[in-house]
Amino acid sequence: MKLSPAIAAYFEADRTSDNDALIASFAPDAVVFDEGAKHKGHAEILSWLLASKAKYANLVSEPVEQTIDGDRVVVRSRVSGNFPNSPAMLDYTFTLTGDWITSLEIH
């Protein structure tokens, strides 16, 4: 599966816990929606990322398929870690503008 460079960078940085590289894949005014909350901009996205990693220790997300619809890309991922019902299949819905992730919804 060939992911766009920004999405590939997101998953690689997540896998290697490179928080700086992960944040760099987002546009400065990007928005992340996860667990009913909205996180806007690099500072809030970094806070969300660090809180998620603390809450769900050993979290690993492995992309297994993608669906592309214009600037929206849904990546289905197998997510495992220290949480109930692990592993789980989650959809990461990315909106891209150029080389940036401008929106990410996880459900």
Side-chain angles (χ1 to χ4, degrees):
M1 169 174 44
K2 180 152 173 65
L3 298 171
S4 75
I7 295 172
Y10 170 89
F11 282 110
E12 177 63 16
D14 186 51
R15 185 184 67 74
T16 61
S17 296
D18 185 342
N19 298 336
D20 292 334
L22 192 142
I23 293 301
S25 64
F26 286 93
D29 60 347
V31 180
V32 171
F33 299 93
D34 186 31
E35 296 184 335
K38 175 182 174 183
H39 314 279
K40 184 171 182 172
H42 284 177
E44 287 184 22
I45 293 171
L46 179 59
S47 292
W48 158 77
L49 174 66
L50 295 173
S52 293
K53 288 185 181 279
K55 183 176 180 181
Y56 304 112
N58 302 316
L59 190 65
V60 176
S61 181
E62 179 184 352
V64 294
E65 70 177 311
Q66 74 175 329
T67 305
I68 301 171
D69 183 15
D71 63 352
R72 291 176 55 91
V73 180
V74 179
V75 178
R76 177 154 285 210
S77 293
R78 179 187 188 140
V79 180
S80 59
N82 295 337
F83 60 89
N85 301 317
S86 175
M89 295 300 286
L90 296 179
D91 288 335
Y92 290 68
T93 303
F94 295 91
T95 302
L96 303 173
T97 301
D99 294 333
W100 299 96
I101 298 167
T102 55
S103 176
L104 169 59
E105 297 175 44
I106 302 173
H107 41 87

